[in-house]
Short mmCIF file of all heavy atoms in Angstrom, two decimals:
data_model
loop_
_atom_site.label_atom_id
_atom_site.label_comp_id
_atom_site.label_asym_id
_atom_site.label_seq_id
_atom_site.Cartn_x
_atom_site.Cartn_y
_atom_site.Cartn_z
N MET A 1 0.85 -1.20 0.00
CA MET A 1 0.00 0.00 0.00
C MET A 1 0.88 1.24 0.00
O MET A 1 1.80 1.35 0.80
CB MET A 1 -0.91 0.00 1.23
CG MET A 1 -1.75 1.24 1.39
SD MET A 1 -2.91 1.54 0.06
CE MET A 1 -4.09 0.23 0.35
N PHE A 2 0.59 2.15 -0.89
CA PHE A 2 1.24 3.45 -0.87
C PHE A 2 0.35 4.44 -0.14
O PHE A 2 -0.87 4.26 -0.05
CB PHE A 2 1.45 3.97 -2.30
CG PHE A 2 2.46 3.18 -3.07
CD1 PHE A 2 2.08 2.10 -3.84
CD2 PHE A 2 3.80 3.52 -3.03
CE1 PHE A 2 3.01 1.36 -4.55
CE2 PHE A 2 4.74 2.80 -3.73
CZ PHE A 2 4.34 1.71 -4.50
N TYR A 3 0.96 5.47 0.41
CA TYR A 3 0.18 6.49 1.10
C TYR A 3 0.89 7.83 0.96
O TYR A 3 2.08 7.89 0.63
CB TYR A 3 -0.04 6.14 2.57
CG TYR A 3 1.23 5.98 3.37
CD1 TYR A 3 1.79 7.08 4.03
CD2 TYR A 3 1.86 4.75 3.44
CE1 TYR A 3 2.96 6.94 4.75
CE2 TYR A 3 3.04 4.61 4.16
CZ TYR A 3 3.59 5.71 4.81
OH TYR A 3 4.75 5.58 5.52
N VAL A 4 0.16 8.90 1.22
CA VAL A 4 0.77 10.22 1.27
C VAL A 4 0.86 10.63 2.74
O VAL A 4 0.04 10.21 3.57
CB VAL A 4 -0.04 11.27 0.47
CG1 VAL A 4 0.02 10.95 -1.00
CG2 VAL A 4 -1.46 11.36 0.95
N LYS A 5 1.87 11.45 3.04
CA LYS A 5 2.11 11.87 4.41
C LYS A 5 2.35 13.37 4.39
O LYS A 5 3.14 13.87 3.60
CB LYS A 5 3.32 11.13 4.96
CG LYS A 5 3.66 11.45 6.38
CD LYS A 5 4.66 10.46 6.95
CE LYS A 5 5.99 10.53 6.25
NZ LYS A 5 7.02 9.67 6.88
N GLU A 6 1.65 14.08 5.25
CA GLU A 6 1.78 15.53 5.29
C GLU A 6 1.59 15.99 6.73
O GLU A 6 0.89 15.34 7.52
CB GLU A 6 0.70 16.16 4.40
CG GLU A 6 0.88 17.65 4.15
CD GLU A 6 2.11 17.94 3.30
OE1 GLU A 6 2.16 17.50 2.14
OE2 GLU A 6 3.02 18.61 3.81
N CYS A 7 2.24 17.09 7.07
CA CYS A 7 2.06 17.67 8.40
C CYS A 7 1.12 18.87 8.32
O CYS A 7 1.29 19.76 7.48
CB CYS A 7 3.40 18.12 8.97
SG CYS A 7 4.35 16.79 9.70
N PHE A 8 0.12 18.86 9.18
CA PHE A 8 -0.79 19.99 9.31
C PHE A 8 -0.76 20.44 10.76
O PHE A 8 -1.12 19.67 11.66
CB PHE A 8 -2.23 19.60 8.92
CG PHE A 8 -2.39 19.21 7.48
CD1 PHE A 8 -2.44 17.88 7.11
CD2 PHE A 8 -2.47 20.18 6.49
CE1 PHE A 8 -2.58 17.51 5.78
CE2 PHE A 8 -2.61 19.82 5.16
CZ PHE A 8 -2.66 18.48 4.81
N ASN A 9 -0.31 21.67 10.98
CA ASN A 9 -0.22 22.20 12.34
C ASN A 9 0.53 21.22 13.26
O ASN A 9 0.07 20.91 14.36
CB ASN A 9 -1.62 22.49 12.90
CG ASN A 9 -2.34 23.54 12.08
OD1 ASN A 9 -1.74 24.50 11.59
ND2 ASN A 9 -3.65 23.36 11.91
N ASN A 10 1.68 20.75 12.78
CA ASN A 10 2.53 19.83 13.54
C ASN A 10 1.90 18.47 13.81
O ASN A 10 2.37 17.73 14.66
CB ASN A 10 2.98 20.47 14.85
CG ASN A 10 3.89 21.66 14.61
OD1 ASN A 10 4.70 21.66 13.68
ND2 ASN A 10 3.75 22.67 15.44
N VAL A 11 0.81 18.15 13.14
CA VAL A 11 0.21 16.82 13.26
C VAL A 11 0.44 16.09 11.94
O VAL A 11 0.06 16.58 10.88
CB VAL A 11 -1.31 16.90 13.55
CG1 VAL A 11 -1.93 15.51 13.56
CG2 VAL A 11 -1.56 17.63 14.84
N GLU A 12 1.09 14.92 12.03
CA GLU A 12 1.37 14.15 10.83
C GLU A 12 0.12 13.37 10.41
O GLU A 12 -0.48 12.66 11.23
CB GLU A 12 2.52 13.18 11.07
CG GLU A 12 2.95 12.44 9.81
CD GLU A 12 4.18 11.58 10.06
OE1 GLU A 12 5.29 12.13 10.09
OE2 GLU A 12 4.01 10.37 10.25
N VAL A 13 -0.26 13.54 9.16
CA VAL A 13 -1.45 12.87 8.63
C VAL A 13 -1.02 11.95 7.51
O VAL A 13 -0.28 12.35 6.62
CB VAL A 13 -2.48 13.89 8.10
CG1 VAL A 13 -3.68 13.20 7.47
CG2 VAL A 13 -2.91 14.83 9.21
N THR A 14 -1.45 10.68 7.56
CA THR A 14 -1.20 9.76 6.45
C THR A 14 -2.53 9.32 5.87
O THR A 14 -3.51 9.11 6.59
CB THR A 14 -0.42 8.51 6.91
OG1 THR A 14 -1.17 7.81 7.88
CG2 THR A 14 0.93 8.89 7.48
N VAL A 15 -2.54 9.21 4.54
CA VAL A 15 -3.76 8.79 3.84
C VAL A 15 -3.37 7.72 2.84
O VAL A 15 -2.47 7.93 2.02
CB VAL A 15 -4.42 9.98 3.10
CG1 VAL A 15 -5.66 9.53 2.34
CG2 VAL A 15 -4.75 11.10 4.08
N ASP A 16 -4.01 6.56 2.92
CA ASP A 16 -3.76 5.50 1.95
C ASP A 16 -4.17 5.96 0.56
O ASP A 16 -5.21 6.62 0.39
CB ASP A 16 -4.57 4.24 2.29
CG ASP A 16 -4.02 3.53 3.51
OD1 ASP A 16 -2.90 3.86 3.95
OD2 ASP A 16 -4.72 2.65 4.03
N ILE A 17 -3.35 5.62 -0.43
CA ILE A 17 -3.68 5.94 -1.82
C ILE A 17 -4.51 4.78 -2.38
O ILE A 17 -4.06 3.64 -2.38
CB ILE A 17 -2.41 6.15 -2.66
CG1 ILE A 17 -1.62 7.34 -2.13
CG2 ILE A 17 -2.77 6.36 -4.13
CD1 ILE A 17 -0.26 7.52 -2.80
N THR A 18 -5.70 5.11 -2.81
CA THR A 18 -6.59 4.08 -3.37
C THR A 18 -7.04 4.51 -4.76
O THR A 18 -6.67 5.58 -5.24
CB THR A 18 -7.84 3.90 -2.49
OG1 THR A 18 -8.68 5.06 -2.63
CG2 THR A 18 -7.45 3.70 -1.03
N GLU A 19 -7.86 3.67 -5.39
CA GLU A 19 -8.38 4.02 -6.71
C GLU A 19 -9.39 5.15 -6.64
O GLU A 19 -9.80 5.68 -7.65
CB GLU A 19 -9.00 2.79 -7.40
CG GLU A 19 -10.24 2.25 -6.72
CD GLU A 19 -9.92 1.26 -5.62
OE1 GLU A 19 -8.77 1.21 -5.15
OE2 GLU A 19 -10.85 0.53 -5.21
N ASP A 20 -9.81 5.54 -5.40
CA ASP A 20 -10.86 6.54 -5.26
C ASP A 20 -10.36 7.91 -4.83
O ASP A 20 -11.12 8.88 -4.85
CB ASP A 20 -11.89 6.07 -4.22
CG ASP A 20 -12.58 4.79 -4.62
OD1 ASP A 20 -12.85 4.62 -5.82
OD2 ASP A 20 -12.85 3.96 -3.73
N ASN A 21 -9.09 8.03 -4.40
CA ASN A 21 -8.69 9.31 -3.81
C ASN A 21 -7.47 9.95 -4.47
O ASN A 21 -6.81 10.78 -3.86
CB ASN A 21 -8.47 9.16 -2.30
CG ASN A 21 -7.26 8.30 -1.95
OD1 ASN A 21 -6.54 7.84 -2.83
ND2 ASN A 21 -7.03 8.09 -0.68
N VAL A 22 -7.19 9.57 -5.71
CA VAL A 22 -6.08 10.19 -6.45
C VAL A 22 -6.65 11.02 -7.58
O VAL A 22 -7.49 10.56 -8.35
CB VAL A 22 -5.11 9.12 -7.00
CG1 VAL A 22 -4.00 9.78 -7.81
CG2 VAL A 22 -4.52 8.31 -5.85
N PHE A 23 -6.17 12.25 -7.66
CA PHE A 23 -6.67 13.17 -8.68
C PHE A 23 -5.50 13.92 -9.30
O PHE A 23 -4.43 14.06 -8.71
CB PHE A 23 -7.64 14.21 -8.06
CG PHE A 23 -8.84 13.58 -7.41
CD1 PHE A 23 -8.79 13.16 -6.10
CD2 PHE A 23 -10.01 13.41 -8.13
CE1 PHE A 23 -9.89 12.56 -5.50
CE2 PHE A 23 -11.12 12.82 -7.55
CZ PHE A 23 -11.06 12.40 -6.23
N THR A 24 -5.71 14.42 -10.50
CA THR A 24 -4.77 15.33 -11.12
C THR A 24 -5.58 16.42 -11.81
O THR A 24 -6.81 16.41 -11.75
CB THR A 24 -3.84 14.60 -12.12
OG1 THR A 24 -2.80 15.49 -12.54
CG2 THR A 24 -4.61 14.11 -13.34
N ARG A 25 -4.88 17.36 -12.42
CA ARG A 25 -5.59 18.40 -13.17
C ARG A 25 -5.17 18.36 -14.62
O ARG A 25 -4.00 18.15 -14.94
CB ARG A 25 -5.31 19.79 -12.59
CG ARG A 25 -5.94 19.99 -11.24
CD ARG A 25 -6.05 21.44 -10.85
NE ARG A 25 -6.63 21.57 -9.50
CZ ARG A 25 -7.94 21.54 -9.25
NH1 ARG A 25 -8.80 21.40 -10.23
NH2 ARG A 25 -8.38 21.65 -8.02
N CYS A 26 -6.13 18.56 -15.51
CA CYS A 26 -5.86 18.65 -16.92
C CYS A 26 -4.91 19.84 -17.15
O CYS A 26 -5.19 20.94 -16.69
CB CYS A 26 -7.16 18.87 -17.69
SG CYS A 26 -6.91 19.21 -19.45
N PRO A 27 -3.75 19.61 -17.83
CA PRO A 27 -2.80 20.70 -18.03
C PRO A 27 -3.31 21.77 -18.98
O PRO A 27 -2.74 22.86 -19.07
CB PRO A 27 -1.57 20.00 -18.60
CG PRO A 27 -2.10 18.76 -19.21
CD PRO A 27 -3.28 18.34 -18.40
N VAL A 28 -4.38 21.50 -19.69
CA VAL A 28 -4.91 22.47 -20.65
C VAL A 28 -5.95 23.38 -19.98
O VAL A 28 -5.84 24.59 -20.02
CB VAL A 28 -5.53 21.75 -21.87
CG1 VAL A 28 -6.12 22.77 -22.84
CG2 VAL A 28 -4.48 20.88 -22.55
N CYS A 29 -6.96 22.80 -19.33
CA CYS A 29 -8.06 23.61 -18.79
C CYS A 29 -8.12 23.61 -17.27
O CYS A 29 -8.85 24.39 -16.69
CB CYS A 29 -9.40 23.11 -19.36
SG CYS A 29 -9.91 21.50 -18.72
N GLY A 30 -7.34 22.73 -16.61
CA GLY A 30 -7.32 22.73 -15.16
C GLY A 30 -8.41 21.89 -14.52
O GLY A 30 -8.53 21.87 -13.31
N GLU A 31 -9.22 21.20 -15.31
CA GLU A 31 -10.29 20.39 -14.75
C GLU A 31 -9.70 19.25 -13.92
O GLU A 31 -8.71 18.64 -14.29
CB GLU A 31 -11.14 19.79 -15.87
CG GLU A 31 -12.28 18.91 -15.34
CD GLU A 31 -13.19 18.41 -16.45
OE1 GLU A 31 -13.52 19.20 -17.34
OE2 GLU A 31 -13.55 17.22 -16.42
N GLU A 32 -10.32 19.00 -12.75
CA GLU A 32 -9.90 17.91 -11.89
C GLU A 32 -10.32 16.58 -12.50
O GLU A 32 -11.44 16.42 -12.97
CB GLU A 32 -10.52 18.07 -10.51
CG GLU A 32 -10.02 17.04 -9.50
CD GLU A 32 -10.63 17.25 -8.13
OE1 GLU A 32 -11.80 16.85 -7.95
OE2 GLU A 32 -9.95 17.83 -7.28
N ILE A 33 -9.39 15.59 -12.48
CA ILE A 33 -9.64 14.29 -13.08
C ILE A 33 -9.31 13.22 -12.05
O ILE A 33 -8.22 13.23 -11.46
CB ILE A 33 -8.75 14.06 -14.32
CG1 ILE A 33 -8.90 15.20 -15.33
CG2 ILE A 33 -9.06 12.72 -14.96
CD1 ILE A 33 -7.82 15.18 -16.41
N ALA A 34 -10.23 12.30 -11.80
CA ALA A 34 -9.96 11.16 -10.93
C ALA A 34 -9.05 10.20 -11.68
O ALA A 34 -9.21 9.97 -12.88
CB ALA A 34 -11.28 10.46 -10.56
N VAL A 35 -8.04 9.66 -10.98
CA VAL A 35 -7.04 8.79 -11.60
C VAL A 35 -7.05 7.43 -10.93
O VAL A 35 -6.93 7.35 -9.71
CB VAL A 35 -5.63 9.40 -11.48
CG1 VAL A 35 -4.60 8.48 -12.11
CG2 VAL A 35 -5.58 10.78 -12.10
N ASP A 36 -7.20 6.38 -11.70
CA ASP A 36 -7.06 5.02 -11.19
C ASP A 36 -5.62 4.60 -11.43
O ASP A 36 -5.25 4.23 -12.54
CB ASP A 36 -8.04 4.09 -11.89
CG ASP A 36 -7.96 2.66 -11.34
OD1 ASP A 36 -6.98 2.34 -10.64
OD2 ASP A 36 -8.88 1.87 -11.63
N LEU A 37 -4.78 4.71 -10.39
CA LEU A 37 -3.36 4.41 -10.56
C LEU A 37 -3.11 2.96 -10.97
O LEU A 37 -2.15 2.66 -11.67
CB LEU A 37 -2.60 4.72 -9.27
CG LEU A 37 -2.47 6.20 -8.90
CD1 LEU A 37 -1.69 6.34 -7.60
CD2 LEU A 37 -1.79 6.98 -10.01
N ASN A 38 -3.99 2.06 -10.54
CA ASN A 38 -3.83 0.66 -10.95
C ASN A 38 -3.89 0.54 -12.46
O ASN A 38 -3.05 -0.11 -13.08
CB ASN A 38 -4.93 -0.21 -10.33
CG ASN A 38 -4.77 -0.36 -8.84
OD1 ASN A 38 -3.66 -0.45 -8.34
ND2 ASN A 38 -5.88 -0.38 -8.13
N ALA A 39 -4.85 1.17 -13.07
CA ALA A 39 -5.00 1.11 -14.52
C ALA A 39 -3.88 1.87 -15.20
O ALA A 39 -3.32 1.42 -16.21
CB ALA A 39 -6.36 1.69 -14.93
N LEU A 40 -3.51 3.02 -14.64
CA LEU A 40 -2.48 3.86 -15.26
C LEU A 40 -1.15 3.13 -15.35
O LEU A 40 -0.53 3.07 -16.41
CB LEU A 40 -2.32 5.14 -14.44
CG LEU A 40 -1.32 6.17 -14.98
CD1 LEU A 40 -1.81 6.75 -16.29
CD2 LEU A 40 -1.12 7.27 -13.96
N PHE A 41 -0.71 2.55 -14.25
CA PHE A 41 0.62 1.93 -14.25
C PHE A 41 0.59 0.52 -14.86
O PHE A 41 1.63 0.00 -15.23
CB PHE A 41 1.19 1.91 -12.84
CG PHE A 41 1.64 3.27 -12.40
CD1 PHE A 41 0.84 4.04 -11.58
CD2 PHE A 41 2.83 3.79 -12.86
CE1 PHE A 41 1.24 5.31 -11.20
CE2 PHE A 41 3.23 5.05 -12.49
CZ PHE A 41 2.44 5.82 -11.66
N HIS A 42 -0.57 -0.05 -14.97
CA HIS A 42 -0.66 -1.34 -15.64
C HIS A 42 -0.55 -1.18 -17.15
O HIS A 42 0.08 -1.99 -17.82
CB HIS A 42 -1.98 -2.02 -15.27
CG HIS A 42 -2.15 -3.36 -15.91
ND1 HIS A 42 -2.86 -3.55 -17.08
CD2 HIS A 42 -1.65 -4.57 -15.57
CE1 HIS A 42 -2.80 -4.83 -17.41
NE2 HIS A 42 -2.09 -5.47 -16.52
N ASP A 43 -1.16 -0.13 -17.66
CA ASP A 43 -1.27 0.01 -19.11
C ASP A 43 -0.11 0.77 -19.73
O ASP A 43 0.23 0.55 -20.88
CB ASP A 43 -2.57 0.75 -19.48
CG ASP A 43 -3.78 -0.09 -19.13
OD1 ASP A 43 -3.63 -1.32 -18.95
OD2 ASP A 43 -4.87 0.49 -19.04
N TRP A 44 0.50 1.71 -19.01
CA TRP A 44 1.47 2.59 -19.62
C TRP A 44 2.79 2.55 -18.88
O TRP A 44 2.86 2.17 -17.73
CB TRP A 44 0.99 4.04 -19.61
CG TRP A 44 -0.26 4.30 -20.36
CD1 TRP A 44 -0.83 3.53 -21.32
CD2 TRP A 44 -1.12 5.44 -20.19
NE1 TRP A 44 -1.97 4.12 -21.76
CE2 TRP A 44 -2.18 5.28 -21.10
CE3 TRP A 44 -1.08 6.56 -19.38
CZ2 TRP A 44 -3.20 6.22 -21.22
CZ3 TRP A 44 -2.08 7.49 -19.49
CH2 TRP A 44 -3.12 7.32 -20.40
N ASP A 45 3.84 3.00 -19.55
CA ASP A 45 5.12 3.21 -18.90
C ASP A 45 5.09 4.60 -18.29
O ASP A 45 5.62 5.56 -18.83
CB ASP A 45 6.25 3.07 -19.92
CG ASP A 45 7.62 3.22 -19.27
OD1 ASP A 45 7.71 3.05 -18.04
OD2 ASP A 45 8.58 3.50 -20.00
N SER A 46 4.44 4.72 -17.12
CA SER A 46 4.18 6.02 -16.52
C SER A 46 4.90 6.15 -15.19
O SER A 46 5.37 5.17 -14.62
CB SER A 46 2.68 6.18 -16.26
OG SER A 46 1.95 5.95 -17.43
N ASN A 47 5.00 7.37 -14.71
CA ASN A 47 5.48 7.59 -13.35
C ASN A 47 4.79 8.80 -12.76
O ASN A 47 4.15 9.57 -13.47
CB ASN A 47 7.01 7.74 -13.32
CG ASN A 47 7.47 8.94 -14.10
OD1 ASN A 47 7.12 10.07 -13.76
ND2 ASN A 47 8.24 8.71 -15.15
N LEU A 48 4.93 8.96 -11.44
CA LEU A 48 4.17 10.00 -10.75
C LEU A 48 4.71 11.39 -11.02
O LEU A 48 4.03 12.37 -10.77
CB LEU A 48 4.17 9.74 -9.24
CG LEU A 48 3.35 8.53 -8.81
CD1 LEU A 48 3.56 8.27 -7.33
CD2 LEU A 48 1.88 8.75 -9.11
N THR A 49 5.95 11.52 -11.51
CA THR A 49 6.54 12.83 -11.73
C THR A 49 6.24 13.39 -13.10
O THR A 49 5.90 14.56 -13.24
CB THR A 49 8.07 12.75 -11.54
OG1 THR A 49 8.35 12.25 -10.25
CG2 THR A 49 8.71 14.11 -11.72
N ASN A 50 6.35 12.56 -14.10
CA ASN A 50 6.30 13.06 -15.47
C ASN A 50 5.02 12.75 -16.22
O ASN A 50 4.91 13.05 -17.41
CB ASN A 50 7.47 12.49 -16.27
CG ASN A 50 8.80 12.94 -15.70
OD1 ASN A 50 8.93 14.06 -15.22
ND2 ASN A 50 9.78 12.07 -15.73
N THR A 51 4.05 12.14 -15.57
CA THR A 51 2.82 11.76 -16.26
C THR A 51 1.76 12.84 -16.09
O THR A 51 1.45 13.23 -14.97
CB THR A 51 2.28 10.42 -15.72
OG1 THR A 51 3.28 9.43 -15.92
CG2 THR A 51 1.01 10.02 -16.43
N ALA A 52 1.22 13.33 -17.20
CA ALA A 52 0.12 14.28 -17.17
C ALA A 52 -1.06 13.65 -17.89
O ALA A 52 -0.89 12.92 -18.87
CB ALA A 52 0.50 15.59 -17.86
N LEU A 53 -2.25 13.88 -17.38
CA LEU A 53 -3.45 13.33 -17.98
C LEU A 53 -4.35 14.45 -18.44
O LEU A 53 -4.54 15.43 -17.74
CB LEU A 53 -4.21 12.47 -16.97
CG LEU A 53 -3.46 11.25 -16.43
CD1 LEU A 53 -4.33 10.53 -15.42
CD2 LEU A 53 -3.08 10.32 -17.56
N LEU A 54 -4.89 14.30 -19.62
CA LEU A 54 -5.85 15.26 -20.13
C LEU A 54 -7.25 14.84 -19.68
O LEU A 54 -7.54 13.66 -19.59
CB LEU A 54 -5.81 15.30 -21.66
CG LEU A 54 -4.51 15.76 -22.31
CD1 LEU A 54 -4.59 15.57 -23.81
CD2 LEU A 54 -4.22 17.21 -21.98
N CYS A 55 -8.11 15.83 -19.44
CA CYS A 55 -9.50 15.52 -19.16
C CYS A 55 -10.15 15.00 -20.44
O CYS A 55 -9.58 15.07 -21.53
CB CYS A 55 -10.24 16.74 -18.63
SG CYS A 55 -10.58 17.99 -19.89
N ARG A 56 -11.37 14.49 -20.30
CA ARG A 56 -12.04 13.88 -21.44
C ARG A 56 -12.20 14.87 -22.60
O ARG A 56 -11.93 14.53 -23.75
CB ARG A 56 -13.42 13.37 -20.98
CG ARG A 56 -14.13 12.49 -21.98
CD ARG A 56 -15.47 12.05 -21.43
NE ARG A 56 -15.35 11.44 -20.12
CZ ARG A 56 -15.24 10.13 -19.91
NH1 ARG A 56 -15.25 9.32 -20.93
NH2 ARG A 56 -15.14 9.65 -18.70
N ASP A 57 -12.58 16.11 -22.30
CA ASP A 57 -12.82 17.09 -23.36
C ASP A 57 -11.54 17.46 -24.09
O ASP A 57 -11.49 17.52 -25.31
CB ASP A 57 -13.47 18.36 -22.79
CG ASP A 57 -14.92 18.10 -22.38
OD1 ASP A 57 -15.50 17.10 -22.86
OD2 ASP A 57 -15.44 18.89 -21.59
N CYS A 58 -10.47 17.71 -23.33
CA CYS A 58 -9.20 18.11 -23.95
C CYS A 58 -8.58 16.94 -24.70
O CYS A 58 -7.96 17.13 -25.75
CB CYS A 58 -8.25 18.65 -22.90
SG CYS A 58 -8.75 20.25 -22.24
N ALA A 59 -8.74 15.71 -24.19
CA ALA A 59 -8.21 14.55 -24.90
C ALA A 59 -8.92 14.39 -26.23
O ALA A 59 -8.29 14.10 -27.26
CB ALA A 59 -8.38 13.30 -24.05
N LYS A 60 -10.23 14.60 -26.23
CA LYS A 60 -11.00 14.48 -27.47
C LYS A 60 -10.52 15.52 -28.47
O LYS A 60 -10.30 15.23 -29.64
CB LYS A 60 -12.49 14.67 -27.17
CG LYS A 60 -13.38 14.52 -28.40
CD LYS A 60 -14.84 14.71 -28.01
CE LYS A 60 -15.72 14.65 -29.25
NZ LYS A 60 -17.13 14.96 -28.94
N GLU A 61 -10.33 16.77 -27.98
CA GLU A 61 -9.86 17.84 -28.86
C GLU A 61 -8.45 17.53 -29.38
O GLU A 61 -8.16 17.71 -30.56
CB GLU A 61 -9.86 19.16 -28.09
CG GLU A 61 -9.55 20.36 -28.95
CD GLU A 61 -9.76 21.66 -28.19
OE1 GLU A 61 -10.71 21.72 -27.36
OE2 GLU A 61 -8.99 22.60 -28.40
N PHE A 62 -7.58 17.03 -28.51
CA PHE A 62 -6.22 16.68 -28.90
C PHE A 62 -6.22 15.61 -29.98
O PHE A 62 -5.50 15.69 -30.97
CB PHE A 62 -5.45 16.19 -27.68
CG PHE A 62 -4.03 15.76 -27.97
CD1 PHE A 62 -3.02 16.70 -28.11
CD2 PHE A 62 -3.72 14.41 -28.13
CE1 PHE A 62 -1.72 16.30 -28.39
CE2 PHE A 62 -2.43 14.01 -28.41
CZ PHE A 62 -1.42 14.96 -28.54
N MET A 63 -7.06 14.60 -29.80
CA MET A 63 -7.12 13.51 -30.78
C MET A 63 -7.66 14.01 -32.10
O MET A 63 -7.19 13.60 -33.17
CB MET A 63 -8.01 12.37 -30.26
CG MET A 63 -7.46 11.69 -29.02
SD MET A 63 -5.85 10.90 -29.29
CE MET A 63 -6.36 9.46 -30.21
N GLU A 64 -8.63 14.91 -32.07
CA GLU A 64 -9.19 15.45 -33.32
C GLU A 64 -8.16 16.28 -34.05
O GLU A 64 -7.99 16.16 -35.27
CB GLU A 64 -10.44 16.29 -33.01
CG GLU A 64 -11.62 15.44 -32.60
CD GLU A 64 -12.81 16.28 -32.13
OE1 GLU A 64 -12.63 17.51 -31.98
OE2 GLU A 64 -13.87 15.70 -31.89
N VAL A 65 -7.40 17.11 -33.33
CA VAL A 65 -6.36 17.93 -33.95
C VAL A 65 -5.28 17.02 -34.54
O VAL A 65 -4.81 17.22 -35.65
CB VAL A 65 -5.72 18.88 -32.90
CG1 VAL A 65 -4.46 19.54 -33.46
CG2 VAL A 65 -6.74 19.96 -32.53
N ASP A 66 -4.90 15.97 -33.76
CA ASP A 66 -3.87 15.05 -34.22
C ASP A 66 -4.32 14.34 -35.49
O ASP A 66 -3.55 14.18 -36.43
CB ASP A 66 -3.58 14.02 -33.12
CG ASP A 66 -2.33 13.19 -33.43
OD1 ASP A 66 -1.33 13.81 -33.84
OD2 ASP A 66 -2.37 11.98 -33.27
N ASP A 67 -5.58 13.94 -35.52
CA ASP A 67 -6.09 13.24 -36.70
C ASP A 67 -6.10 14.16 -37.92
O ASP A 67 -5.72 13.76 -39.02
CB ASP A 67 -7.52 12.72 -36.47
CG ASP A 67 -7.51 11.53 -35.51
OD1 ASP A 67 -6.43 10.96 -35.30
OD2 ASP A 67 -8.57 11.20 -34.98
N ASP A 68 -6.51 15.43 -37.72
CA ASP A 68 -6.58 16.36 -38.84
C ASP A 68 -5.19 16.74 -39.33
O ASP A 68 -4.99 17.05 -40.50
CB ASP A 68 -7.34 17.64 -38.43
CG ASP A 68 -8.79 17.33 -38.17
OD1 ASP A 68 -9.27 16.25 -38.60
OD2 ASP A 68 -9.46 18.15 -37.50
N GLY A 69 -4.21 16.76 -38.42
CA GLY A 69 -2.88 17.20 -38.77
C GLY A 69 -2.10 16.23 -39.63
O GLY A 69 -1.11 16.60 -40.24
N GLU A 70 -2.55 15.00 -39.67
CA GLU A 70 -1.80 14.01 -40.46
C GLU A 70 -2.07 14.13 -41.95
O GLU A 70 -3.17 14.36 -42.36
CB GLU A 70 -2.20 12.60 -39.99
CG GLU A 70 -1.70 12.30 -38.58
CD GLU A 70 -0.18 12.18 -38.49
OE1 GLU A 70 0.44 11.67 -39.46
OE2 GLU A 70 0.39 12.63 -37.49
ZN1 ZN B 101 -8.96 19.95 -20.10
#
């Protein structure tokens, strides 16, 4: 089990990382996206530092632009 650890007002808080409590933000519009780390690391060569996820709308737009650009 992985967890995050942070101090708030000198009280150490740990929270288990699960499929329900990990989020990121779309780098294009800033929309919050729930992330299933099990699926992410199973399917891709990803890591927590360099992996960015697009929200559904921006991914759709990106794919459309990519398709038209070819
Ligand atoms: Zn977006």
Side-chain angles (χ1 to χ4, degrees):
M1 175 62 70
F2 292 91
Y3 59 91
V4 293
K5 181 167 65 174
E6 190 68 62
C7 279
F8 295 100
N9 298 323
N10 294 324
V11 176
E12 186 175 281
V13 176
T14 61
V15 178
D16 288 348
I17 297 173
T18 71
E19 66 273 17
D20 298 323
N21 68 3
V22 177
F23 300 87
T24 189
R25 290 198 182 277
C26 173
V28 178
C29 70
E31 179 176 317
E32 186 178 79
I33 306 167
V35 179
D36 182 346
L37 290 180
N38 290 324
L40 182 67
F41 286 100
H42 180 263
D43 293 341
W44 298 341
D45 183 19
S46 306
N47 62 62
L48 290 173
T49 303
N50 297 324
T51 301
L53 298 178
L54 297 173
C55 73
R56 191 180 307 265
D57 289 341
C58 290
K60 182 179 176 185
E61 187 172 324
F62 178 80
M63 295 299 285
E64 288 173 352
V65 169
D66 191 45
D67 288 344
D68 293 343
E70 291 292 325

